[in-house]
Amino acid sequence: MELDGEPAAPDDLATLALTNYGHFTTLLVEDGAVRGLDLHLERLIRDCRLLFDTPLDPDRVRALARRAAPANGRRVVRVTVYDPALHLATIAMDAHPRVLVTARPAPTGDPGPLRVRTAVHLRDLPEVKSVGLSATLRLRRLAARDGYDDVLLTGADGAILEGGTWNIGLVRDGEVVWPGGDILAGTTRQLLRRAGDDLTDLVSIPELDDCEAVFATNAVTGVRPVVRVDDREFPATHPVLSRLARTYLALPATPL
């Protein structure tokens, strides 16, 4: 765990824990390279401008992230941007964001399909990958304690939005459909949209009855089947899901 390339001190992390104001992105680094690196960097730059009204140097971010990424093998690297000087009493000050880099082993093996429960919830600033995950994690916890794997967020009108830390995709009439609305368009979703002929549509929960398959996308797990949404069941395998998984794995990665 390094802050601006130096070991992170407890005092530097206190604001992140207690005030929890900032943003992040999570990279799957494989042999020193990342799929969609440009999208991750664009996200960090955009969110830094929005939350802190200041620019962020992408080359500096890459240099700091490389320190945690081995040249060979797989590792999950998280880049968090926040200002330790901003807390409840100083939140209006001019910001000087710093870059916290943490790393953990990448998961191995097939994570298996997801079973999710819907919950009405619209994240604050849904276009930002915020460190403020408390509300979403509470819904995930409640769903998990009732036997589900995760939560699927919906609007008050029943519109399907996104998972807690992933995007949802649907297969309808053999085509890929990405639910629209106020969401965070993740890097994996954007990469697959670049590579395919699909569409974005507003989809409500009852319209799941017309879908042949459901899947989740995430930078760490790629394409993952969703086999249950509330009381609706879907197959764990489908030709379109297999194609999407192959497409994603074949995408070129950019050296970090």
Side-chain angles (χ1 to χ4, degrees), residues 26 68 74-78 102-107 218 220:
T26 301
R74 304 170 74 247
R75 200 158 182 81
V76 176
V77 176
R78 171 169 160 160
T102 55
R104 58 182 171 87
N218 174 274
V220 175

Side-chain angles (χ1 to χ4, degrees), residues 89-166:
T90 62
I91 195 65
M93 290 174 50
D94 289 345
H96 302 281
R98 301 178 69 182
V99 177
L100 177 71
V101 177
T102 55
R104 58 182 171 87
T108 59
D110 185 352
L114 280 171
R115 298 164 301 155
V116 302
R117 182 171 71 183
T118 58
V120 176
H121 180 67
L122 178 63
R123 295 187 302 107
D124 181 53
L125 290 177
E127 70 275 19
V128 172
K129 195 170 180 68
S130 168
V131 299
L133 298 174
S134 177
T136 303
L137 290 178
R138 180 183 67 85
L139 294 172
R140 174 183 284 180
R141 171 180 166 81
L142 293 175
R145 289 176 69 84
D146 283 340
Y148 294 86
D149 299 305
D150 210 335
V151 64
L152 173 62
L153 308 180
T154 72
D157 59 355
I160 294 172
L161 297 175
E162 59 185 342
T165 54
W166 42 273

Side-chain angles (χ1 to χ4, degrees), residues 117-237:
R117 182 171 71 183
T118 58
V120 176
H121 180 67
L122 178 63
R123 295 187 302 107
D124 181 53
L125 290 177
E127 70 275 19
V128 172
K129 195 170 180 68
S130 168
V131 299
L133 298 174
S134 177
T136 303
L137 290 178
R138 180 183 67 85
L139 294 172
R140 174 183 284 180
R141 171 180 166 81
L142 293 175
R145 289 176 69 84
D146 283 340
Y148 294 86
D149 299 305
D150 210 335
V151 64
L152 173 62
L153 308 180
T154 72
D157 59 355
I160 294 172
L161 297 175
E162 59 185 342
T165 54
W166 42 273
N167 287 126
I168 188 168
L170 315 170
V171 180
R172 186 175 64 195
D173 296 329
E175 295 184 322
V176 176
V177 179
W178 300 100
D182 293 326
I183 64 166
L184 173 67
T187 58
T188 303
R189 167 176 159 144
Q190 292 183 71
L191 287 171
L192 288 172
R193 296 208 65 193
R194 282 180 180 176
D197 182 15
D198 50 34
L199 57 95
T200 301
D201 195 7
L202 295 176
V203 182
S204 64
I205 295 173
E207 291 176 283
L208 288 173
D209 292 337
D210 299 325
C211 294
E212 304 149 34
V214 179
F215 60 96
T217 61
N218 174 274
V220 175
T221 57
V223 178
R224 187 175 179 184
V226 175
V227 295
R228 184 177 176 187
V229 180
D230 294 334
D231 58 353
R232 294 174 172 83
E233 296 187 353
F234 300 92
T237 59

